[in-house]
Amino acid sequence: QNSLTMLDSLIFGSLISSIDPVAILSVLTSLNMSETDTIYIIVLGESLLNDGIAITLFKSLVQSYQSNGSVTADAVLGSIADFLIIATGSFAIGLVCGFASLFYFLLNKSILHPVMEVASFFLWAVVPYWLAEAFDWSGIVAIVVMGFFMDMYLRPGWDAADLQQEEEERINRLMKLALA
C-alpha cells in the first residue's frame, strides 16, 4: 500500500497546478514591457484567476476527502457541484461588492477627502475576500472579479456617455475574439 489514492493525487495536483508568474513577468519587464502592455496584463490576470481556481479546486477536493475519502462517480459529481457553487458564489460576491463600491463612491464623491477615498479603496478590496471566506468560497476570485468591475466602472472623471462607448468597444472586441 505504498501508492497514492486517486483523491490524494488530485489534491496534490491541485496544490501544484498554480503557477508563479514572477519569472514570466520579470522576462516581460526585461523586454521593456510594463503594466500598460496587454500581454503583461493578460499574464497577471491569468495567474490571479489560475490561483483562485486552484484554491477553489483544492477546497472542493479536501471537502470530498474529509467526507469519505473515496473516489466514486457520486464523489466526482459532488466535487464538480462544489466547485461550481464555490466559483459562482465567489463571482457573485465580487459583483455585488463591485456594485456596492460603485454606489458608495458615487454617493460620496463630493464629500470624500482624497485620503479617505484611498483608504476606502483599500477597505473595499478586503470586503469581498472576507465575505467569500465566510462562506468557505474563494476570496481571491471575489477580489479579482471586483477588481475587474472597479477597473471598468469606477474611474476618475467618470462620464456615463464615455462609459457606454467604452463598453460597446469592449463588447465588439470580445465578439471579434470569439468569432476568430
Side-chain angles (χ1 to χ4, degrees):
Q1 242 318 317
N2 290 334
S3 64
L4 291 174
T5 65
M6 175 66 95
L7 189 56
D8 290 337
S9 299
L10 290 172
I11 289 173
F12 180 71
S14 69
L15 276 175
I16 64 168
S17 66
S18 181
I19 60 165
D20 186 14
V22 173
I24 298 168
L25 294 177
S26 66
V27 168
L28 292 177
T29 303
S30 70
L31 295 172
N32 295 325
M33 292 188 180
S34 67
E35 296 84 19
T36 58
D37 293 314
T38 304
I39 188 71
Y40 193 95
I41 295 167
I42 289 172
V43 168
L44 186 62
E46 185 274 334
S47 67
L48 285 173
L49 284 177
N50 190 22
D51 287 351
I53 289 170
I55 290 170
T56 303
L57 182 61
F58 176 77
K59 285 181 179 181
S60 176
L61 290 170
V62 166
Q63 285 175 357
S64 175
Y65 189 79
Q66 290 172 342
S67 64
N68 61 9
S70 64
V71 179
T72 62
D74 287 341
V76 171
L77 292 175
S79 290
I80 291 170
D82 287 342
F83 177 80
L84 292 174
I85 290 168
I86 291 169
T88 305
S90 302
F91 189 86
I93 285 176
L95 278 181
V96 167
C97 288
F99 277 111
S101 69
L102 175 67
F103 292 131
Y104 171 82
F105 285 110
L106 288 178
L107 292 174
N108 295 317
K109 187 177 183 179
S110 61
I111 60 172
L112 274 180
H113 187 272
V115 173
M116 285 304 298
E117 188 173 358
V118 170
S120 297
F121 269 107
F122 283 117
L123 290 175
W124 274 108
V126 177
V127 169
Y129 183 84
W130 282 343
L131 286 175
E133 290 296 323
F135 289 106
D136 286 329
W137 294 341
S138 175
I140 294 174
V141 171
I143 287 175
V144 169
V145 170
M146 184 177 162
F148 286 152
F149 184 89
M150 290 177 78
D151 179 51
M152 289 191 304
Y153 296 108
L154 203 60
R155 296 187 178 179
W158 187 93
D159 183 23
D162 292 340
L163 186 64
Q164 179 67 27
Q165 183 178 358
E166 277 185 38
E167 192 64 29
E168 288 175 7
E169 289 173 6
R170 281 192 182 118
I171 290 172
N172 287 336
R173 285 195 308 257
L174 183 63
M175 294 304 288
K176 286 179 185 176
L177 283 174
L179 296 174

